[in-house]
Amino acid sequence: AQKITQTQPGMFVQEKEAVTLDCTYDTSDPSYGLFWYKQPSSGEMIFLIYQGSYDQQNATEGRYSLNFQKARKSANLVISASQLGDSAMYFCAMREVSGGYQKVTFGTGTKLQVIP
Amino acid sequence: DVKVTQSSRYLVKRTGEKVFLECVQDMDHENMFWYRQDPGLGLRLIYFSYDVKMKEKGDIPEGYSVSREKKERFSLILESASTNQTSMYLCASSSPQGLLREKLFFGSGTQLSVL
């Protein structure tokens, strides 16, 4: 079974609109961390936002927020007021302890294109 | 700002060649990682290191080896390059933090083509 599932290979959004990128995860461990990274065409992955499994509130970082629904094992990224510079690949990732080490598993990514 | 530098942005090699991919970070991070990125597969962990001269296999170590002689440098070695190793290779580093909140800092990647 996939640890991280991103079901949207590609998405379009109008500039200034909000967009939600879906992410579901699979783990039996009660302790884990969830991350979103952005990868522009330049190639460098950039950290956006973090949510801990014990966090009571949804994480927010500027225009980014994470809609964390623990019972459904989903961690969707919401980008408000989209900008042209938001066009990029977005990866959801989960950090958990495995074999005595912390391991990070990435999803397959969603390509977001912002339309002027 | 954390800087993770990969030596080459694009690399073209022949089948059977020995290939070295170099990665240097300037923020004194203990942890370093090598991933490969393929369309539709996301990022997959090849090797990682939590200390100098220490290495651990990731999910897809076959055909690769690594070297970490200095804290700031982590090298990925393809002993005998094959066409199925054509991919984007991403190096990352991090510093340990509690509560599983350790975030990764990435280089810009090396697009390797094996002909």
Side-chain angles (χ1 to χ4, degrees):
Chain A
Q2 292 290 330
K3 283 270 187 182
I4 297 285
T5 302
Q6 294 182 253
T7 57
Q8 305 152 315
M11 288 191 71
F12 290 92
V13 64
Q14 204 76 37
E15 194 178 5
K16 300 179 184 176
E17 297 289 316
V19 63
T20 298
L21 307 184
D22 294 340
C23 173
T24 57
Y25 58 93
D26 182 28
T27 182
S28 57
D29 197 323
S31 299
Y32 50 89
L34 297 162
F35 300 78
W36 278 91
Y37 289 86
K38 172 185 179 181
Q39 186 182 39
S41 56
S42 60
E44 183 176 336
M45 301 266 287
I46 303 163
F47 164 77
L48 293 179
I49 195 166
Y50 162 84
Q51 179 87 41
S53 60
Y54 296 114
D55 292 344
Q56 295 297 312
Q57 293 193 335
N58 287 343
T60 60
E61 292 281 352
R63 294 186 299 110
Y64 304 109
S65 61
L66 201 152
N67 184 359
F68 181 44
Q69 298 188 42
K70 195 170 183 177
R72 298 178 62 182
K73 293 187 176 179
S74 75
N76 298 339
L77 176 70
V78 181
I79 306 174
S80 63
S82 297
Q83 302 172 356
L84 295 178
D86 293 334
S87 294
M89 284 289 289
Y90 289 82
F91 290 91
C92 180
M94 177 173 65
R95 177 180 289 277
E96 58 182 341
V97 176
S98 175
Y101 295 101
Q102 291 190 18
K103 277 191 68 176
V104 180
T105 305
F106 286 83
T108 52
T110 296
K111 184 172 184 177
L112 177 67
Q113 293 182 259
V114 181
I115 306 165
Chain B
D1 281 353
V2 176
K3 191 74 173 175
V4 179
T5 303
Q6 294 184 230
S7 53
S8 305
R9 185 71 177 92
Y10 299 96
L11 211 52
V12 180
K13 295 293 182 182
R14 296 281 182 194
T15 302
E17 277 192 79
K18 190 169 186 176
V19 181
F20 292 86
L21 302 183
E22 306 286 348
C23 176
V24 177
Q25 50 94 4
D26 66 358
M27 284 303 291
D28 202 36
H29 282 173
E30 289 83 354
N31 308 328
M32 296 190 74
F33 308 83
W34 275 106
Y35 288 89
R36 67 176 279 177
Q37 180 180 3
D38 300 287
L41 296 177
L43 277 72
R44 293 178 291 167
L45 181 64
I46 305 172
Y47 267 96
F48 61 99
S49 169
Y50 284 124
D51 203 352
V52 176
K53 295 191 185 295
M54 174 272 183
K55 60 186 178 184
E56 290 291 334
K57 293 180 180 179
D59 298 319
I60 52 164
E62 296 79 18
Y64 304 95
S65 62
V66 290
S67 172
R68 195 169 181 197
E69 295 296 318
K70 294 185 177 181
K71 189 175 185 179
E72 67 271 18
R73 186 180 296 271
F74 193 36
S75 303
L76 180 69
I77 304 156
L78 287 66
E79 296 290 343
S80 177
S82 64
T83 55
N84 63 12
Q85 292 179 309
T86 291
S87 185
M88 170 70 85
Y89 290 87
L90 293 171
C91 175
S93 71
S94 66
S95 190
Q97 295 187 33
L99 299 176
L100 294 163
R101 62 172 61 243
E102 184 178 320
K103 63 185 181 186
L104 297 170
F105 294 86
F106 284 86
S108 297
T110 296
Q111 179 62 54
L112 173 67
S113 297
V114 183
L115 306 178

